[in-house]
């Protein structure tokens, strides 16, 4: 149990799972705030890690609980046999408007690896074309990260997107980025223009969130497969005001139509 009273944290997140051993193990992970269950997940051996998140706003205590499950076919006869369990990358964070500090809905879909908060897929600083960013999301094509913005009064989204600098020598491949704003029924209200980029630096993307309940950050393969398509949504931020992004050079990227950006 952790004392979180007065610390101002909004959300908890961890990647959970059973340590690699055995074959039929099951455990139940539960997150409780002030003794009330917020989220639970039953993990099975060999299943891999699962992201779990919880809203902890206003809470005084945070409890992380693991319970054994006596599964059918367990050859050991006791529920807790070989149930060593892991809470990986467990973090508390505050909603400061950045997409990396929001809860990601169950509609979030990533490919092969986790989408990382404030790091690229190789767990290092987010970098596009040699420029580094403290805030953002590292992801990979094809993937969708969905943010629940109901009741938050955000009215604009901005980000710098691009192919994330990789520690490997792969230099080919195009990658695409698009933002979709959905209403409460998950119907699309509007979409940004599709930006297709090929390792040439960061590109601004901006869209109105007016009337929206959900925002989807969509990373695509650019039309030539997903090889080498590690992407970065840098300084991805939701705002209650109008945010303008300055663009120095438009020749470095292409869109399917007029760019949804403001030039100044």
């Amino acid at each position: 149990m952790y004392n979180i009273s007065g610390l101002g944290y909004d959300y908890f997140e961890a990647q959970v799972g059973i340590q690699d051993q055995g074959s039929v193990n099951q455990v139940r992970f539960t997150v409780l705030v002030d003794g009330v269950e917020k989220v639970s997940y039953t993990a099975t051996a060999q299943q891999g890690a699962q992201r779990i998140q919880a809203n902890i706003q206003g809470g005084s205590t945070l409890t992380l609980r693991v319970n054994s499950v006596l599964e059918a076919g367990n050859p050991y006869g006791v529920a807790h046999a070989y149930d060593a369990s892991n809470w990986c990358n467990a973090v508390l964070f505050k909603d400061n408007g950045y997409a990396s500090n929001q809860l990601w809905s169950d509609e979030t879909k990533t490919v092969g690896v986790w989408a990382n908060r404030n790091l690229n897929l190789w767990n290092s600083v987010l970098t596009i074309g040699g420029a580094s960013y403290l805030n953002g999301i590292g992801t990979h094509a094809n993937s969708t990260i969905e943010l629940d913005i109901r009741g938050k009064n955000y009215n604009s989204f901005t980000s710098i997107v691009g192919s994330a600098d990789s520690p490997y020598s792969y230099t080919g491949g195009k990658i695409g980025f698009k933002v979709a704003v959905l209403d409460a029924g998950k119907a699309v209200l509007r979409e940004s223009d599709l930006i297709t980029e090929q390792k040439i630096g960061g590109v601004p993307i901006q869209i109105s969130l007016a009337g929206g309940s959900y925002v989807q950050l969509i990373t695509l393969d650019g039309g030539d497969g997903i090889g080498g398509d590690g992407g970065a949504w840098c300084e991805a931020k939701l705002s209650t005001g109008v945010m303008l992004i300055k663009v120095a050079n438009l020749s470095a990227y292409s869109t399917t139509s007029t760019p949804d950006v403001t030039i100044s």
Side-chain angles (χ1 to χ4, degrees):
M1 179 183 293
Y2 300 89
N3 182 2
I4 58 173
S5 178
L7 299 180
Y9 289 113
D10 295 307
Y11 308 122
F12 167 83
E13 179 183 85
Q15 296 168 18
V16 300
I18 299 176
Q19 189 164 312
D20 291 343
Q21 55 184 342
S23 59
V24 297
N25 322 54
Q26 287 188 3
V27 300
R28 186 172 181 83
F29 293 86
T30 306
V31 179
L32 304 98
V33 176
D34 297 337
V36 177
E37 181 178 315
K38 290 293 185 177
V39 63
S40 63
Y41 168 71
T42 300
T44 303
Q46 312 301 325
Q47 190 175 38
Q50 170 72 33
R51 175 183 280 114
I52 62 172
Q53 303 171 108
N55 187 324
I56 61 173
Q57 293 171 346
S60 296
T61 62
L62 172 68
T63 303
L64 308 181
R65 180 179 295 168
V66 179
N67 295 104
S68 296
V69 178
L70 182 57
E71 52 284 319
N74 187 328
Y76 311 108
V78 292
H80 61 269
Y82 290 91
D83 280 354
S85 304
N86 298 317
W87 298 80
C88 300
N89 298 328
V91 294
L92 305 172
F93 51 97
K94 301 177 182 180
D95 184 349
N96 58 2
Y98 284 105
S100 54
N101 280 38
Q102 306 290 319
L103 288 185
W104 297 348
S105 84
D106 292 340
E107 297 300 315
T108 292
K109 298 176 178 64
T110 56
V111 179
V113 292
W114 295 106
N116 278 344
R117 299 177 186 270
N118 301 321
L119 294 172
N120 63 25
L121 293 184
W122 304 278
N123 295 312
S124 58
V125 175
L126 283 165
T127 308
I128 303 176
S132 298
Y133 301 86
L134 292 176
N135 297 288
I137 300 170
T139 187
H140 197 284
N142 293 304
S143 66
T144 299
I145 294 173
E146 185 176 279
L147 313 177
D148 184 346
I149 61 170
R150 290 175 295 178
K152 295 187 176 182
N153 298 317
Y154 290 127
N155 58 28
S156 64
F157 170 84
T158 58
S159 183
I160 303 294
V161 298
S163 181
D165 293 351
S166 166
Y168 306 106
S169 59
Y170 184 84
T171 58
K174 291 183 178 181
I175 187 168
F177 300 90
K178 182 170 68 173
V179 182
V181 180
L182 314 182
D183 65 16
K186 296 296 184 77
V188 176
L189 291 175
R190 70 188 64 87
E191 294 181 327
S192 69
D193 297 309
L194 173 64
I195 291 176
T196 304
E197 190 267 357
Q198 187 171 12
K199 296 188 181 299
I200 49 178
V203 178
I205 190 167
Q206 177 172 308
I207 193 168
S208 168
L209 304 180
S213 295
Y214 302 91
V215 184
Q216 292 185 341
L217 311 184
I218 303 168
T219 306
L220 302 167
D221 64 20
D224 59 356
I226 66 172
D229 284 353
W233 294 80
C234 297
E235 298 301 314
K237 193 163 188 179
L238 307 157
S239 174
T240 56
V242 177
M243 298 185 68
L244 306 181
I245 298 180
K246 292 186 177 181
V247 183
N249 184 0
L250 289 180
S251 63
Y253 68 91
S254 63
T255 67
T256 56
S257 59
T258 304
D260 187 12
V261 296
T262 299
I263 314 300
S264 61

